[in-house]
Amino acid sequence: MLDSSRINLNSAKVLVADDNENARTILQDMLRSFGANDIIAVKDGTEAKSLLAKQHFDLVITDGAMPECDGYELVRWLRNRPKDEDRITPAIIISAHTRESQVAAGRDCGANYIIAKPISPQVLLERIFYISNEPRSFIVGDSYAGPDRRWKHQGPPSQEEGRRKSDLSLDIGAAQDENLSENELDDLVKPQKAAS
């Protein structure tokens, strides 16, 4: 993060779900150090679902592995809620196991990010900052609901039509003007004195 990056969590309502009491305390302490004051911590996904059904949260941070209802199930349930303002709540999964299959499961359930344990305050704050400033669209489809899983905006893969409304056509039209001369190109990159 840049030194100039700022985020205000003073009025954010955060839900932390983790079956380990020490982990919950550490996460709450980190969030308080970031300026968050309204933090509710629960010990399992079932309790988190109950709270999410009753009130709105600005951020959900959950452990990936909890008994009965784990973090992946919790996020999938959140994303498939009927109320749009609740289903788009940012969700971060924290996991001790970040094998490719777990990362794919987190992506596919609709988590914004998956963070590997042990978690550092800097990494958590960076992910919260990215969530608040990223332009990823929220996608609702037949088999997926969550933030757009594609990070790069380089257009559709070659030889395929785009799936985003914003994807540009693969057809490139003819040039509108003549190409720049060598001297014109040199003038574009030549250092020049700034006008005062």
Side-chain angles (χ1 to χ4, degrees):
M1 280 176 51
L2 301 172
D3 290 339
S4 62
S5 301
R6 298 200 186 278
I7 186 168
N8 185 354
L9 296 177
N10 190 33
S11 60
K13 189 168 190 171
V14 183
L15 176 63
V16 174
D18 198 313
D19 60 330
N20 183 300
E21 185 176 352
N22 290 333
R24 283 194 309 270
T25 302
I26 290 169
L27 283 169
Q28 286 177 288
D29 289 345
M30 283 185 197
L31 291 164
R32 281 191 194 96
S33 73
F34 303 156
N37 295 315
D38 194 356
I39 306 163
I40 297 176
V42 296
K43 63 182 186 311
D44 59 45
T46 306
E47 199 174 343
K49 282 182 183 179
S50 175
L51 282 171
L52 285 162
K54 295 175 191 167
Q55 52 190 300
H56 175 75
F57 287 88
D58 299 303
L59 176 64
V60 174
I61 300 175
T62 180
D63 184 36
M66 293 183 290
E68 294 181 34
C69 176
D70 65 15
Y72 303 96
E73 183 183 335
L74 174 62
V75 173
R76 188 174 297 107
W77 174 85
L78 176 66
R79 296 299 184 227
N80 289 300
R81 297 207 46 211
K83 288 172 51 178
D84 288 341
E85 63 271 11
D86 291 333
R87 74 187 331 191
I88 64 171
T89 302
I92 296 173
I93 294 176
I94 298 170
S95 178
H97 305 288
T98 52
R99 294 186 301 267
E100 188 175 334
S101 60
Q102 263 95 7
V103 173
R107 178 200 64 207
D108 292 343
C109 75
N112 291 74
Y113 285 102
I114 300 171
I115 301 175
K117 288 182 179 180
I119 185 169
S120 74
Q122 179 181 351
V123 169
L124 180 60
L125 183 59
E126 283 177 349
R127 297 316 178 267
I128 293 170
F129 183 79
Y130 296 156
I131 287 170
S132 68
N133 290 304
E134 69 187 10
R136 288 168 65 191
S137 302
F138 192 86
I139 307 295
V140 178
D142 295 335
S143 61
Y144 175 77
D148 192 343
R149 296 180 286 195
R150 295 182 288 173
W151 292 80
K152 298 179 182 176
H153 299 282
Q154 298 176 332
S158 62
Q159 315 305 322
E160 291 187 24
E161 292 293 320
R163 294 182 299 182
R164 288 185 179 134
K165 289 180 183 178
S166 60
D167 283 340
L168 299 175
S169 169
L170 293 174
D171 298 327
I172 299 175
Q176 299 288 327
D177 299 319
E178 291 184 29
N179 291 336
L180 296 175
S181 70
E182 190 71 33
N183 288 337
E184 291 170 319
L185 288 171
D186 288 341
D187 287 340
L188 286 175
V189 295
K190 187 187 305 180
Q192 297 186 7
K193 197 177 211 180
S196 47

